[in-house]
Structures are given as structure tokens and as C-alpha cells.
Amino acid sequence: MVKIERKDSPEARAAVESLEKEKAKPSGTYRTEAVTNALGLMFAHKCYLCEQKGLSDLQIEHLVPHRGERDLMFDWNNLFLSCDHCNNIKNDKYTPILDCTKIDVDKRIAFRRHCGLFEEDQLDIEGLDDSLETKNTVALMNEVYYGSTPQKKAEAKIIRERLSKELDEFRDCVKNYNLADGEDKKDCEMSIMMKLKWNAPFAAFKRWMIRDASDRFPELLKYCQ
């Protein structure tokens, strides 16, 4: 979970306009084509919670549960993009949580993976302050990545497998950077930079890999900002 800027754009303005029109209707919907398109662009078609990309089940999620309150239901700033797995887990159970369009979440929460040669990877998600929002977000992230029902546990295992594969590839990229020199090293650094950007899958975990290796790669920390 990393910061995603809610930029002004023609698509965002079209989404706001469609929400205003739908809100005026007795049975209006916030799931308009304009809203779906704008959120897809703004979130780079990535779930803002688990950080998976390339999914076909992305949904419109309310950061603050609306519970039927129309102002919250149709508020553009309250609409986020999430996958079905995360949307069902969060629902109205976790509130308030950190707003990733306003806060660098990966600076308030540490996202780490511990892996052993013959053991299943373990995720360590640790809050770095005692605020209620941080505590709720940590609890939500743990349920996202581990589940609490048989179905959600099975879904979470698939996410963790995708996460592990992505982090293994990123680790190899950093290894190649460490061994390279000249133009090859520059190319490797560019690849690392792209993998640490907000729109990359599982960016929070990758950034903490770099932070935890800051003594070896202090020059890469600038890409974690």
C-alpha cells in the first residue's frame, strides 16, 4: 500500500460530473463508466490495498464506508480501486484507515517478507506509529494477505505466491545491479526505479527491501520517496 496521487484530469472531472448527475437520481449509481475509467487511470489498474495488477475483478471501493449515506456514496474523493478479495475483506469492518491518496503509507507501515530455503514465506507488516488509522490499516493488511475464512485464506495464499514471485524477480534485479558496471549498471538502476514506482505491483514490499539494505545501496533510497 503506497501513496497514489489523486490528480486532476479530464477523466477525473468527467467522473465527478457523472457522480453529481447520478446522486440526483433516486436510484443513481456510482459505478458509471466515467468513474470506472477515471479510477483505472488514477490507480494504474492496481488494487490500492494488496497492490496486485492485471486483475479482471477490480471494483469500486469506498475508503470510508458509506452505510447508505449518499454524500459518502457519491464522493469522488472517497472512491478507490480494489480487487474483489480486498473489497470483501475491508467492507465496513476496518475504519478509519490510512488514506493512500494523502499519506505515504509505506512510511507509516513497514512491509517485509521473510523467506527461508525450505519454508513458506512469512510477511511482517508492522505499524511505525500508534495512531488508530495505522493500527486498523495493519490489521486490514494482515487479513488481506492471510485471510480469515477458508475461501479468503485460499485467495490470500495465491496473492502471497504472486508477491513472492515478484519480490524474487526484484531481488534478482538488485543483484544484477550490484554486479554490473558502466551502462549495464545504469540500465539496472532504471529497472529498479520503475519497480519501485507507485504504479508497480507490490511496491511497498520492494521499497522496504531497499530500505533494509540502505547500508549497501544508499543511492537507491531516493526511489523509495
Side-chain angles (χ1 to χ4, degrees), residues 9-39 60 70 73-76 79:
S9 67
E11 291 82 8
R13 290 192 290 272
V16 171
E17 183 178 349
S18 72
L19 287 168
E20 291 174 350
K21 290 180 179 178
E22 291 297 319
K23 182 180 177 181
K25 300 176 182 178
S27 57
T29 178
Y30 55 84
R31 298 186 181 93
T32 67
E33 183 177 357
V35 170
T36 301
N37 290 341
L39 286 176
I60 298 174
R70 293 179 70 79
M73 186 184 300
F74 291 93
D75 181 0
W76 167 245
L79 301 183

Side-chain angles (χ1 to χ4, degrees), residues 71-83:
D71 285 344
L72 286 174
M73 186 184 300
F74 291 93
D75 181 0
W76 167 245
N77 293 315
N78 195 37
L79 301 183
F80 289 66
L81 201 66
S82 75
C83 66

Side-chain angles (χ1 to χ4, degrees), residues 33 162 174 203:
E33 183 177 357
R162 291 171 178 166
V174 176

Side-chain angles (χ1 to χ4, degrees), residues 34-91:
V35 170
T36 301
N37 290 341
L39 286 176
L41 290 172
M42 188 177 78
F43 286 88
H45 304 283
K46 180 174 87 166
C47 175
Y48 83 103
L49 293 171
C50 71
E51 289 202 271
Q52 291 188 93
K53 289 194 73 170
L55 301 178
S56 59
D57 63 347
L58 289 173
Q59 300 179 355
I60 298 174
E61 203 274 319
H62 291 83
L63 182 75
V64 180
H66 61 78
R67 298 188 176 99
E69 184 180 336
R70 293 179 70 79
D71 285 344
L72 286 174
M73 186 184 300
F74 291 93
D75 181 0
W76 167 245
N77 293 315
N78 195 37
L79 301 183
F80 289 66
L81 201 66
S82 75
C83 66
D84 177 72
H85 171 80
C86 291
N87 193 13
N88 287 340
I89 285 176
K90 178 178 174 289
N91 201 359

Side-chain angles (χ1 to χ4, degrees), residues 94 96 98 109 127 129-140:
Y94 294 98
L98 297 173
I109 298 174
D129 63 65
D130 294 325
S131 69
L132 178 59
E133 291 85 355
T134 296
K135 290 179 179 178
N136 284 343
T137 306
V138 168
L140 171 57

Side-chain angles (χ1 to χ4, degrees), residues 84-188:
D84 177 72
H85 171 80
C86 291
N87 193 13
N88 287 340
I89 285 176
K90 178 178 174 289
N91 201 359
D92 62 354
K93 179 179 177 181
Y94 294 98
T95 187
I97 66 169
L98 297 173
D99 184 343
C100 68
T101 65
K102 299 177 180 178
I103 294 169
D104 289 300
V105 178
D106 62 299
K107 293 181 181 179
R108 299 273 292 271
I109 298 174
F111 293 82
R112 294 185 173 99
R113 175 190 67 157
H114 303 291
C115 52
L117 186 58
F118 302 109
E119 300 175 353
E120 183 180 354
D121 290 358
Q122 295 296 316
L123 305 183
D124 179 13
I125 302 170
E126 177 188 5
L128 304 179
D129 63 65
D130 294 325
S131 69
L132 178 59
E133 291 85 355
T134 296
K135 290 179 179 178
N136 284 343
T137 306
V138 168
L140 171 57
M141 290 290 96
N142 276 295
E143 188 168 352
V144 160
Y145 288 114
Y146 281 98
S148 59
T149 67
Q151 178 179 339
K152 291 302 176 187
K153 287 179 180 179
E155 293 172 1
K157 184 177 181 181
I158 293 173
I159 296 174
R160 293 199 309 276
E161 289 171 350
R162 291 171 178 166
L163 169 63
S164 293
K165 181 180 179 181
E166 189 75 26
L167 296 188
D168 286 345
E169 291 176 356
F170 181 68
R171 180 190 59 200
D172 290 343
C173 186
V174 176
K175 285 183 177 179
N176 290 337
Y177 167 81
N178 188 45
L179 296 172
D181 54 24
E183 290 300 319
D184 288 341
K185 196 174 190 72
K186 291 181 181 179
D187 290 342
C188 289

